[in-house]
Amino acid sequence: MNKTVLTLTACSAAAVAFSCGDIKHADLIVYNAVVYTVDSSFRKAEAFAVRNGVFVAIGTSDEIRTAYEAEEAIDAQGQPIYPGFYDAHSHFFGYAQTFGQADLSGATSFEEIIDRLKAFRAEHPDAPWLLGRGWDQNLWKDKSFPTRHRLDAEFPDVPVYLVRIDGHAALASGKALELAGVTGPIDVEGGLVEAKNGQPTGILVDNAMDRVSSIIPRATAPQLTQFLQKAEDACLAVGLTTVSDAGLGRSSIDLLDSLYASGQLRIRNHAMIGLSHENLDHYLAAGPYVSDRFTVRAFKILADGALGSRGACLLLPYADAPTSGFLLFIPQAIDSAIARIVDSDFQVATHAIGDSTNRLVLDIYSKYLKGKNDRRWRIEHAQIVSPTDFEKFGTYDIIPSVQPTHATSDMYWAEDRVGPARIKGAYAYRQLLEQAGLLALGSDFPVEHINPLYGFHAAIARVDKDDYPKGGFQPENAIDRESALRGMTVWAAYSVFEEDKRGSIEVGKKADFVRLEKDIMTIPPDEIRDVAVLQTTIAGETVYIKK
């Protein structure tokens, strides 16, 4: 990068419609770039000027350099610049907490899980619990759920609690179960305590997870602050300027609010309130909270579980198990919560994976939205949708908030779960785009990797990091590059009522932008995942620079 001080002291004949007296001051000028504005016409430019954290001019390099002087100027040397990337559905707070846990993602056997836990325990011998996240039995030779018995043998003196990659199941050791009072089969509405021969195996699914997770000591505020700042650094390094927290409790929201108020966090964050009676009462009375960096204006309803742990609620039984999954709230509870929210200024964002859940939520939404509207209610994931239900997204202006890497992570086993007929309505991003007119793209991290370029690649190519499968997984539901870029910028901004403030590079909008080493709009798809972020800027302030 060529970073210089630019002071314009003379006019030239090349100045376009400006004279010496017209030279204006800016804080920052970027020129000699390929700027994807992502405006309504998807116009490209070469340069822009920023003042007070806002784009004040966009044009050619000659126009901007002639019209403005600035204390800082960046010669982008032909590199591409995009609006700051959004992650429309992530778990920023949850990702931060993983910095205090063993990383189990990508482990190809339970033996590898044990090895990683031993290494983590050696580094943290005094921790009262041994916590981990990220295991996925679908990556193992034996794809059945693990049991607690190996944990009991290897770690008899410390309670162990390991969350599955999707966050919808966990494996708890015998000591953890004992502390939680789970000593035999228990019926849990919207969940499962797996038992064999009258004894819990250690597997807890969805609402049953609370039996153990609720007794785990919470990290201290200083520890959480440190984890959140580490998470922020990681997100900024991959070009994210705005993240989300899809479902938080009041204490987590309060901590985030305090950190933003004191300037200890910089990345923009949209927190969704986890649904509970207490949260409804408190936040409906308080109203939405909107600030420059931290916003709380949506309720998150977790309607069903995940496909990988067979908790997603299906219209017909799973193809590989005698169950149809389950709802985490009874339909009447979902309906009554939405009936309260509809009279407020809050959005509704509902997690719906299975086709039964998507139909239920779409129908409840339609009951209250009554046709065209600007409420911008969302369905998070919209993962398996029955053919007759797609049109409801367009009819009622419901936003599909989808995560393209889910398709390429689940494609190895998803058809085993739902069979060849239903899989055609799964991960159907192009169909959803055609009905809704837009997609809000995210990753669901830490379920998936935080890098938004992985999602961009999965959205357009429908292949994994190894370019498998040839031709793509259900390639008819790939989306084009322009739509993918809009989905992680201006459409994501629209999904949170921010399209007039951010999401594109236009005069008057906040100067959030990302500079990459290669142009993801033109390079071969198999190069996209390896593209480096060179610079991430929020409101004109560089918050990450590649060294």
Side-chain angles (χ1 to χ4, degrees):
M1 178 183 68
N2 181 17
K3 181 177 175 181
T4 62
V5 173
L6 177 66
T7 303
L8 300 178
T9 58
C11 290
S12 69
V16 182
F18 294 100
S19 67
C20 288
D22 292 321
I23 293 176
K24 304 176 181 67
H25 176 76
D27 301 319
L28 169 68
I29 291 171
V30 179
Y31 64 96
N32 192 20
V34 179
V35 181
Y36 287 88
T37 65
V38 197
D39 63 6
S40 60
S41 62
F42 210 70
R43 179 173 69 99
K44 288 197 286 187
E46 295 176 347
F48 54 76
V50 175
R51 185 171 59 239
N52 296 328
V54 174
F55 294 113
V56 294
I58 299 157
T60 67
S61 294
D62 284 345
E63 288 170 345
I64 298 302
R65 297 183 75 189
T66 301
Y68 286 87
E69 64 179 6
E71 296 179 0
E72 179 182 8
I74 296 174
D75 178 357
Q77 302 179 353
Q79 290 159 342
I81 291 178
Y82 313 86
F85 296 147
Y86 274 68
D87 193 309
H89 181 107
S90 59
H91 300 272
F92 178 68
F93 201 99
Y95 173 59
Q97 289 175 306
T98 67
F99 284 88
Q101 303 171 4
D103 179 9
L104 308 180
S105 59
T108 57
S109 67
F110 194 58
E111 188 65 36
E112 184 176 350
I113 297 289
I114 296 297
D115 289 343
R116 293 194 194 184
L117 290 173
K118 287 180 177 178
F120 188 84
R121 186 62 179 168
E123 294 176 2
H124 305 85
D126 298 324
W129 282 65
L130 177 53
L131 305 176
R133 178 172 178 135
W135 62 269
D136 182 359
Q137 83 284 0
N138 291 307
L139 302 178
W140 308 343
K141 184 176 180 180
D142 179 1
K143 300 185 187 308
S144 58
F145 275 143
T147 66
R148 62 180 171 82
H149 302 298
R150 183 71 187 279
L151 297 180
D152 295 346
E154 298 286 354
F155 309 102
D157 300 322
V158 61
V160 184
Y161 185 73
L162 312 176
V163 178
R164 191 180 182 276
I165 184 66
D166 57 13
H168 286 268
L171 176 64
S173 68
K175 190 171 184 64
L177 294 172
E178 180 183 357
L179 291 172
V182 180
T183 57
I186 299 174
D187 291 329
V188 178
E189 184 177 312
L192 171 69
V193 176
E194 186 184 70
K196 292 182 179 179
N197 300 318
Q199 296 296 316
T201 65
I203 289 292
L204 309 169
V205 181
D206 286 309
N207 288 348
M209 297 167 66
D210 293 341
R211 294 299 181 107
V212 175
S213 64
S214 62
I215 67 167
I216 297 174
R218 181 180 170 89
T220 65
Q223 288 173 324
L224 288 170
T225 300
Q226 183 181 41
F227 296 157
L228 286 161
Q229 290 172 333
K230 287 182 178 180
E232 177 185 71
D233 289 343
C235 290
L236 296 174
V238 295
L240 289 170
T241 57
T242 305
V243 294
S244 50
D245 260 310
L248 290 180
R250 186 173 170 184
S251 63
S252 299
I253 291 173
D254 288 346
L255 176 60
L256 287 168
D257 186 30
S258 70
L259 295 176
Y260 279 100
S262 60
Q264 296 184 70
L265 290 175
R266 299 162 293 170
I267 197 166
R268 303 189 195 278
N269 190 351
H270 286 267
M272 306 177 196
I273 307 156
L275 182 66
S276 70
H277 291 300
E278 295 77 13
N279 284 344
L280 277 172
D281 290 342
H282 174 77
Y283 288 101
L284 288 177
Y289 175 78
V290 179
S291 70
D292 184 53
R293 302 289 173 112
F294 186 57
T295 296
V296 184
R297 65 169 303 155
F299 280 93
K300 164 75 178 298
I301 301 175
L302 196 61
D304 68 350
L307 195 65
S309 47
R310 298 185 184 87
C313 190
L314 304 179
L315 291 167
L316 297 173
Y318 280 79
D320 62 354
T323 178
S324 297
F326 39 75
L327 295 173
L328 305 191
F329 292 95
I330 62 173
Q332 295 87 339
I334 297 173
D335 188 295
S336 62
I338 292 175
R340 294 185 64 186
I341 298 168
V342 72
D343 292 326
S344 75
D345 292 327
F346 282 96
Q347 289 176 275
V348 183
T350 304
H351 163 118
I353 300 287
D355 51 4
S356 178
T357 312
N358 274 286
R359 176 171 295 176
L360 171 70
V361 175
L362 285 165
D363 288 346
I364 293 176
Y365 278 14
S366 67
K367 172 181 173 181
Y368 293 100
L369 294 175
K370 298 179 170 54
K372 292 295 182 181
N373 64 89
D374 193 35
R375 298 302 301 268
R376 306 189 193 184
W377 289 5
R378 302 160 39 150
I379 290 189
E380 309 300 314
H381 311 305
Q383 199 158 302
I384 306 168
V385 180
S386 182
T388 59
D389 291 327
F390 280 97
E391 64 182 20
K392 297 172 186 176
F393 284 90
T395 301
Y396 299 101
D397 290 317
I398 297 166
I399 298 174
S401 171
V402 299
Q403 301 74 43
T405 47
H406 280 348
T408 52
S409 291
D410 298 356
M411 63 185 178
Y412 313 104
W413 47 263
E415 186 171 339
D416 294 339
R417 293 285 192 275
V418 300
R422 282 182 294 193
I423 197 66
K424 295 300 181 184
Y427 317 94
Y429 306 139
R430 187 173 186 84
Q431 283 181 267
L432 290 167
L433 174 58
E434 289 171 350
Q435 291 297 328
L438 77 161
L439 298 172
L441 299 186
S443 68
D444 203 17
F445 73 69
V447 176
E448 302 284 355
H449 196 280
I450 64 172
N451 194 329
L453 298 187
Y454 292 8
F456 183 91
H457 175 244
I460 68 165
R462 306 277 291 198
V463 296
D464 65 12
K465 62 182 177 61
D466 299 316
D467 292 317
Y468 174 87
K470 185 177 181 180
F473 168 65
Q474 298 186 172
E476 68 276 9
N477 269 304
I479 61 176
D480 62 88
R481 296 193 197 211
E482 179 180 330
S483 297
L485 184 57
R486 288 188 182 279
M488 54 200 278
T489 55
V490 71
W491 286 347
Y494 176 89
S495 77
V496 289
F497 290 92
E498 283 190 350
E499 76 279 10
D500 293 332
K501 301 176 183 177
R502 290 182 278 276
S504 59
I505 296 175
E506 297 183 79
V507 172
K509 290 193 175 184
K510 292 287 187 178
D512 296 0
F513 63 89
V514 178
R515 182 162 56 95
L516 303 183
E517 66 170 348
K518 293 182 181 179
D519 189 351
I520 60 174
M521 301 302 289
T522 60
I523 62 175
D526 61 1
E527 296 181 15
I528 291 171
R529 291 172 64 103
D530 295 325
V531 171
V533 174
L534 301 180
Q535 177 184 357
T536 304
T537 298
I538 298 178
E541 177 191 358
T542 297
V543 291
Y544 169 79
I545 195 81
K546 181 176 172 58
K547 297 179 181 179

